[in-house]
Amino acid sequence: MHNLRFFTNADVAAALDYAPLIEALRSGLAVACESPVRGCHDLPNDASLLQMPVWQSGQGIGVKLVTVFPQNSARNLPSVAAVFTLFDDETGQPLALLEASEMTARRTACTSALAADYLVRRDAERLLIVGNGTLAAHMVRAHCCVRPYREVQIWGRNPDKLAPLVTQLQAEGFPVSASRDLQASVREADSITCITTSREPLVLGAWLKPGTHLDLVGAFLPSMRETDSAAVGRARIVVDTCEGALEEAGDLLFAIADGVIHRHAIDTELKVLLQGQGARGSDEEITLFKSVGYALEDLIAARALLAQTTAA
């Protein structure tokens, strides 16, 4: 146990930069691993406990425990908290314990941006972030690593919370402004990233212009959705994992139940893009990337953090 290292969220933020993590995910997610569908347990007051195990030969064994408390915004606390433990896959000995909220946010945003690098039009100029929670700033930073957006808008239900976020990102040099009209912003956007825990559609298919990329990140339960079925029906779908999407992706499961798409439409995983297939077909195509969370992303991020801090 004397070799066990501990990383706080501040340690992760200081060492795990967006662009290098995107590249680590680009190579690492193309390699097979063992990653059982995560366990999800309902807690009181719409809260959840998630368990995400993963192992890959030569890279290690990882387990992440996550709590999701949607009511935390009223307490001025993040809705997601997590820890991640990394073990050696040859000896089973623990190597690192991470306070994993920061790692989760960064790997989620970087995976989203990685998919966008293959699915967003090369001439895209307008990015819209739907949701102003913990992930919003990370999404702006990560997506701006893969496209030089001329305009970035953020829409959120709470103007008091949105204003300081916009000010912070403007100070970092990003062309960010607040969206006051979600429908108008969706109609103008080239790429839309949704990061809410909504149970009702926020982005409607009728609002999407040809060539839009729709990135759905927030809804992680079958009862949650950020789009209507019409939006899903208009798009070509890519997912982080087919197994996870068919178990948990409410946006897709509602569309299947409504008869808008068939389960067979969910057959293209992100790793296919990384292996050189399945990228955007035309400038008019509407694309959709749905991620519900893939434990291999955590393992890649933890290994990248450990390697970077060891080298330093």
Side-chain angles (χ1 to χ4, degrees):
M1 296 290 288
H2 65 282
N3 291 323
L4 179 65
R5 300 180 63 187
F6 178 72
F7 296 88
T8 66
N9 282 324
D11 295 331
V12 175
L16 199 60
D17 292 334
Y18 298 92
L21 180 53
I22 290 171
E23 295 312 310
L25 290 164
R26 194 188 303 273
S27 57
L29 289 175
V31 181
C33 73
E34 294 294 329
S35 178
V37 174
R38 69 183 172 198
C40 184
H41 306 278
D42 293 333
L43 300 175
N45 300 317
D46 290 327
S48 304
L49 170 66
L50 311 178
Q51 302 161 302
M52 302 173 66
V54 60
W55 55 95
Q56 188 180 64
S57 178
Q59 295 301 308
I61 303 164
V63 181
K64 186 166 73 172
L65 298 176
V66 185
T67 57
V68 183
F69 278 63
Q71 310 304 324
N72 271 1
S73 59
R75 305 182 179 99
N76 200 29
L77 291 172
S79 60
V80 178
V83 293
F84 183 87
T85 305
L86 177 66
F87 299 87
D88 186 279
D89 60 310
E90 290 188 3
T91 66
Q93 298 303 298
L95 300 175
L97 177 64
L98 286 70
E99 187 180 17
S101 298
E102 184 74 15
M103 182 189 75
T104 300
R106 290 185 178 233
R107 65 81 158 157
T108 300
C110 288
T111 300
S112 170
L114 176 61
D117 196 24
Y118 294 86
L119 296 173
V120 172
R121 295 194 328 269
R122 291 290 165 186
D123 63 350
E125 294 186 332
R126 294 182 176 89
L127 171 66
L128 171 64
I129 308 296
V130 180
N132 61 352
T134 303
L135 272 176
H138 295 288
M139 286 294 179
V140 172
R141 296 170 188 140
H143 278 262
C144 287
C145 286
V146 300
R147 290 291 185 280
Y149 289 105
R150 181 174 59 83
E151 179 182 347
V152 178
Q153 287 192 317
I154 304 176
W155 177 88
R157 288 192 175 97
N158 186 342
D160 293 336
K161 188 175 181 181
L162 180 57
L165 172 64
V166 169
T167 300
Q168 172 193 341
L169 289 167
Q170 288 174 341
E172 294 179 25
F174 295 103
V176 174
S177 62
S179 166
R180 304 302 181 190
D181 184 333
L182 178 58
Q183 179 177 344
S185 295
V186 168
R187 290 185 181 277
E188 295 174 355
D190 299 309
S191 182
I192 303 166
T193 293
C194 298
I195 51 171
T196 75
T197 55
S198 178
R199 294 178 184 268
E200 299 295 334
L202 297 171
V203 174
L204 305 186
W207 300 348
L208 300 175
K209 68 180 182 181
T212 302
H213 174 60
L214 189 55
D215 176 40
L216 305 180
V217 179
F220 61 91
L221 294 174
S223 57
M224 295 177 176
R225 65 190 310 189
E226 299 179 287
T227 61
D228 63 357
S229 294
V232 176
R234 293 188 65 191
R236 182 169 64 82
I237 300 167
V238 179
V239 297
D240 49 3
T241 67
C242 292
E243 187 178 15
L246 288 169
E247 288 282 338
E248 301 174 342
D251 292 274
L252 306 183
L253 296 175
F254 277 110
I256 292 172
D258 290 340
V260 174
I261 63 169
H262 192 276
R263 292 173 69 91
H264 295 320
I266 306 169
D267 63 355
T268 303
E269 295 185 333
L270 176 57
K271 68 180 179 183
V272 174
L273 303 186
L274 304 180
Q275 294 166 355
Q277 303 175 36
R280 168 173 287 277
S282 73
D283 284 347
E284 300 299 304
E285 183 177 47
I286 293 175
T287 55
L288 185 157
F289 177 63
K290 175 58 191 171
S291 62
V292 293
Y294 185 22
L296 180 56
E297 297 160 13
D298 298 310
L299 185 60
I300 292 167
R303 293 298 307 199
L305 175 68
L306 197 61
Q308 185 163 341
T309 54
T310 299

